[in-house]
Amino acid sequence: MELRNMTHPNLVMFDVDAQSKEQVIRQLISKIKKQGFVESEDAFLEAVLKREEQSPTGMERGLAIPHGKSSTVKEAVFAAARLKTPLADWESIDPNNKVQLVFMIAIPESEAGTTHLKVLSTLSTNLMRDDYLEGLMAAESPEEFLNRLDVEEKPEAPAEIEFTKTVVAITACATGIAHTYMSAEALEKAGSELGVRVLVEKQGANGIEDELTADVIKNADAVIFATDIAPKRLDRFAGKAYVQTRVAEPLRKGKEIIQKAINNPDGVVEQGDEDESPTTSSNGGGFFKDMVQAVMTGISYMIPVIVAGGLMMGIAKLGAMPFGLVNELADPKYATHSNELFVILHHLDKLGGLIFKFMYPIFAAFVAYSLADRVGLVAGFIGGAFAGGLHYTFWNNPEGIPSGFLGALILGLAAGYIARFLNQKIQLNKNLAAMKPMFIIPAVSILSIFFLNFYIVDPLFGGLNAVLRNWIEAAQGTGDVVLASIIASATAFDLGGPINKAAGAIAIGLAADEVYPLTARVLAIVIPPIGLGLAVIIDKYIVGRRVFPADLRITGNTSLLLGFLAISEGAIPFMLRNPLITIPINIIGAILGASTAVLLGAVQWLPLPAIWGWPLVENLWAYLLGLVVGAGFIAFANIFIRFAILKKKERQA
């Protein structure tokens, strides 16, 4: 693709004076509008800003590539701006990136997934070439800038390289756009400098590109998985030495990664017979990386479940709000009500609750899938169902206390490692090979998960939850602040899990008997999700350090919205990614917020934690101040601690 054919000299601007990302974007969109490529400037701006919320468009080395697709765009085009003063607060893949060159890509809705990906991939790979970016920055006129866009490297240079080894690679990032291509280009360039032929398959938003053939893989000496998500079709690499790393690492350590793949790999990709799923056999040092990637994969698949469940419940509660039925919507009488609207809202609310029940099974299933591929899915799903307490329905034990998110994490990881171990160690005759993935592995892994849950996970974490519930009950005679702190900490502990529900049952019982109001309970429901959502916004627009990964930045926006609707589950992905950071901060923030409100005289007797219940609070100013204190603590504590961890990693790198 020739890049200059997709722009115009009037769309290239030099020495642009802008103080923020949005100012740059607005100026570029205005230029595109004046050239007649978009019909509505406001509509396209909305599309671009919406895309900015999903993941960083700032890259490395002073570059940013914002983009958007919209029906208001008449023809695919891009504009470029060279800034007078670099912007340090543009959200970027490289935390230290200071943006000075910006490409704005406008794509018609009908070309989504085709044109814009081609432009992005071409730009990304070109910008990895020596002196390419420097040439664009040195251009003295728009025409010279355009001429330098499509400068190709001399073809004879690669022919002089005598390759001694061949390494194949897969690159894939969470969004599957720029970093996927830039990582691939970095590996190829590093390989050329080392005398190693590197062939890269990109698993991006446009599907699999430059797919590695069977012959190429067969003749390769090693394979590199530079991915932030589980690579597709891992079975092709059976028997190959491999290295697993993050997608951004080749941009900084391309040569080291290639040398490690050849000389000191993480392990060997193992594959049994035809229908078996692939596994990896580690030589050490890969256990933690496997586990982290598995948890990230589980979270990425769980987030849509949380969003869908929260959306259904939110629509139902907002629809019931004008009729004063928010707190009564779950009553079975509305399933057969004469008003059809109430029937629909009732079932939407129930649907949201049903979707939430699949949250832990989906999470644990894809944790196991990341570790063992499809042979781990079933056992992982069953483990997540155990963690969510679905088994108590069938065991006639409605009083059973499930293990919650910790159980889902442990059982999902266990299912993956057990299935992977079985896949590696069980060897069958060719004629019996199909029995292993279809019968033996599911049977043994599910039995293992059953016994692990029955004898360890349920007793340990269910018992812990029961102890906490008894502790809450025993605290009923203590002072207001002590009881508020206990109820708030239990409510914030597992964000809608068994401890949260136990605290809720006791708090509602106390309120029903007019013993103690629900102030601490309702505040502790909304403080964690609002606080974490606020942390993402502060980090993005004020701090500018990007201490949260791309998927959690998207989740943060959802968490903030769900927090105002009193759906605390929106913050669960933060808890699963970093439980040792998130849980203590959530608990402290909830205690601070609830205690502040109670001490200042806020009183809420009704179980209405969502925003529509706030007008019913006595001394609302105290209630809102407690909310600000708790959410503010969670927001700034998360930013401070995560920033310190980020700086430590940067120093180590």
Side-chain angles (χ1 to χ4, degrees):
M1 169 178 286
E2 292 189 2
L3 294 174
R4 69 166 295 145
N5 291 337
M6 289 194 61
T7 188
H8 187 277
N10 291 341
L11 295 178
V12 178
M13 300 186 292
F14 292 158
D15 297 325
V16 174
D17 191 9
Q19 304 303 315
S20 68
K21 173 177 73 173
E22 188 167 338
Q23 287 184 12
V24 178
I25 290 174
R26 285 182 180 274
Q27 291 188 49
L28 286 167
I29 292 176
S30 179
K31 277 284 186 180
I32 294 173
K33 174 68 166 62
K34 288 178 181 178
Q35 289 299 119
F37 288 103
V38 297
E39 295 175 348
S40 171
E41 190 172 328
D42 291 339
F44 183 57
L45 174 64
E46 182 181 353
V48 173
L49 294 180
K50 183 177 180 181
R51 170 61 186 84
E52 287 293 311
E53 295 175 358
Q54 296 178 10
S55 60
T57 56
M59 302 298 168
E60 293 98 353
R61 302 164 64 202
L63 177 70
I65 313 178
H67 49 282
K69 52 182 181 289
S70 172
S71 58
T72 193
V73 180
K74 299 178 183 178
E75 179 183 340
V77 69
F78 69 85
R82 203 167 63 194
L83 307 185
K84 186 176 182 179
T85 304
L87 295 177
D89 60 349
W90 194 304
E91 193 176 21
S92 302
I93 292 171
D94 177 6
N96 299 314
N97 189 36
K98 295 183 178 181
V99 172
Q100 193 166 13
L101 181 61
V102 181
F103 287 90
M104 164 65 71
I105 305 174
I107 304 296
E109 190 72 44
S110 60
E111 298 181 30
T114 56
T115 304
H116 83 290
L117 289 178
K118 291 179 182 177
V119 177
L120 281 168
S121 62
T122 303
L123 270 176
S124 300
T125 52
N126 281 356
L127 288 162
M128 291 302 298
R129 297 174 179 171
D130 291 334
D131 302 326
Y132 182 83
L133 182 59
E134 289 78 1
L136 296 178
M137 294 299 296
E140 297 181 358
S141 68
E143 192 60 41
E144 182 182 355
F145 185 93
L146 296 179
N147 289 335
R148 294 184 181 220
L149 279 175
D150 295 303
V151 172
E152 298 288 341
E153 292 181 313
K154 296 180 180 180
E156 59 271 13
E160 298 175 358
I161 301 174
E162 183 178 346
F163 295 113
T164 57
K165 297 281 186 179
T166 297
V167 172
V168 293
I170 289 178
T171 60
C173 61
T175 54
I177 303 181
H179 231 158
T180 299
Y181 300 101
M182 298 181 82
S183 181
E185 187 72 13
L187 285 171
E188 291 170 354
K189 179 181 175 183
S192 296
E193 294 175 3
L194 291 172
V196 177
R197 178 183 286 106
V198 178
L199 303 171
V200 186
E201 173 179 300
K202 279 80 74 174
Q203 295 185 357
N206 213 27
I208 295 178
E209 299 178 54
D210 300 323
E211 184 173 357
L212 298 167
T213 65
D215 287 340
V216 166
I217 296 172
K218 180 180 178 181
N219 295 320
D221 297 285
V223 57
I224 296 170
F225 300 116
T227 63
D228 284 346
I229 58 177
K232 299 180 179 71
R233 298 179 57 200
L234 189 65
D235 56 302
R236 296 172 292 165
F237 304 95
K240 294 296 178 183
Y242 79 94
V243 164
Q244 174 70 59
T245 187
R246 300 292 300 274
V247 69
E249 288 302 297
L251 299 176
R252 298 182 298 164
K253 303 177 180 179
K255 292 182 181 178
E256 292 91 329
I257 292 170
I258 294 171
Q259 290 172 333
K260 181 180 180 182
I262 295 173
N263 301 317
N264 186 29
D266 290 337
V268 175
V269 181
E270 293 193 356
Q271 171 72 48
D273 297 309
E274 307 179 351
D275 296 323
E276 296 177 18
S277 296
T279 58
T280 53
S281 175
S282 177
N283 287 339
F287 176 80
F288 182 73
K289 287 191 292 184
D290 277 355
M291 187 168 63
V292 169
Q293 186 185 53
V295 173
M296 289 178 64
T297 301
I299 290 172
S300 69
Y301 282 98
M302 180 184 68
I303 288 173
V305 178
I306 293 175
V307 173
L311 182 62
M312 295 303 103
M313 294 181 71
I315 292 172
K317 294 182 186 301
L318 287 172
M321 182 178 168
F323 305 99
L325 300 177
V326 173
N327 201 40
E328 303 175 17
L329 201 56
D331 194 317
K333 70 181 182 182
Y334 290 105
T336 56
H337 199 277
S338 59
N339 189 325
E340 187 68 15
L341 176 60
F342 294 170
V343 175
I344 294 297
L345 294 177
H346 168 82
H347 283 96
L348 272 179
D349 188 54
K350 299 289 285 184
L351 174 61
L354 176 65
I355 293 172
F356 274 131
K357 291 184 181 297
F358 288 95
M359 175 175 62
Y360 288 139
I362 292 295
F363 168 73
F366 282 98
V367 167
Y369 171 80
S370 179
L371 293 169
D373 209 83
R374 62 183 181 270
V375 294
L377 271 172
V378 176
F381 189 91
I382 297 301
F386 285 153
L390 295 181
H391 56 303
Y392 292 129
T393 303
F394 303 100
W395 291 354
N396 295 318
N397 182 19
E399 300 300 322
I401 302 178
S403 54
F405 78 93
L406 288 175
L409 183 63
I410 293 169
L411 292 172
L413 290 170
Y417 284 117
I418 290 169
R420 188 165 81 175
F421 175 81
L422 294 172
N423 205 18
Q424 290 173 354
K425 301 302 180 183
I426 297 176
Q427 302 296 328
L428 297 177
N429 182 277
K430 185 79 172 180
N431 296 326
L432 301 175
M435 290 183 62
K436 188 165 89 170
M438 299 300 294
F439 175 71
I440 298 176
I441 295 178
V444 176
S445 58
I446 289 174
L447 276 173
S448 301
I449 291 301
F450 167 77
F451 286 115
L452 177 63
N453 180 72
F454 193 82
Y455 286 109
I456 299 177
V457 175
D458 245 7
L460 178 61
F461 294 105
L464 175 62
N465 294 343
V467 169
L468 291 173
R469 183 171 68 178
N470 294 334
W471 177 50
I472 296 168
E473 292 174 344
Q476 294 179 23
T478 62
D480 284 354
V481 174
V482 174
L483 183 56
S485 299
I486 293 172
I487 291 175
S489 61
T491 299
F493 175 74
D494 56 358
L495 302 173
I499 298 301
N500 177 295
K501 288 179 171 59
I506 293 166
I508 291 172
L510 291 173
D513 295 335
E514 298 184 357
V515 175
Y516 191 76
L518 285 164
T519 315
R521 164 70 179 174
V522 295
L523 271 168
I525 290 174
V526 301
I527 282 175
I530 291 176
L532 286 163
L534 186 62
V536 170
I537 292 174
I538 293 173
D539 175 51
K540 179 177 180 179
Y541 292 106
I542 299 177
V543 180
R545 287 296 306 183
R546 294 192 310 100
V547 299
F548 293 99
D551 57 338
L552 290 188
R553 287 195 293 276
I554 298 171
T555 306
N557 298 325
T558 304
S559 176
L560 183 65
L561 174 62
L562 295 181
F564 283 104
L565 298 176
I567 301 172
S568 56
E569 283 87 350
I572 286 179
F574 293 88
M575 181 173 65
L576 287 170
R577 178 71 65 85
N578 301 105
L580 296 180
I581 296 175
T582 307
I583 294 175
I585 292 176
N586 282 352
I587 291 174
I588 296 171
I591 291 173
L592 289 174
S595 299
T596 299
V598 169
L599 283 172
L600 294 176
V603 177
Q604 166 68 301
W605 286 100
L606 299 175
L608 296 174
I611 191 170
W612 47 76
W614 296 357
L616 303 177
V617 177
E618 298 177 27
N619 294 320
L620 179 60
W621 67 270
Y623 180 94
L624 294 178
L625 181 60
L627 175 62
V628 170
V629 169
F633 172 81
I634 290 174
F636 287 105
N638 268 279
I639 291 172
F640 177 79
I641 293 175
R642 293 169 191 269
F643 175 71
I645 294 173
L646 179 65
K647 293 298 292 183
K648 181 179 179 181
K649 290 181 178 179
E650 289 177 356
R651 287 194 297 269
Q652 291 175 345

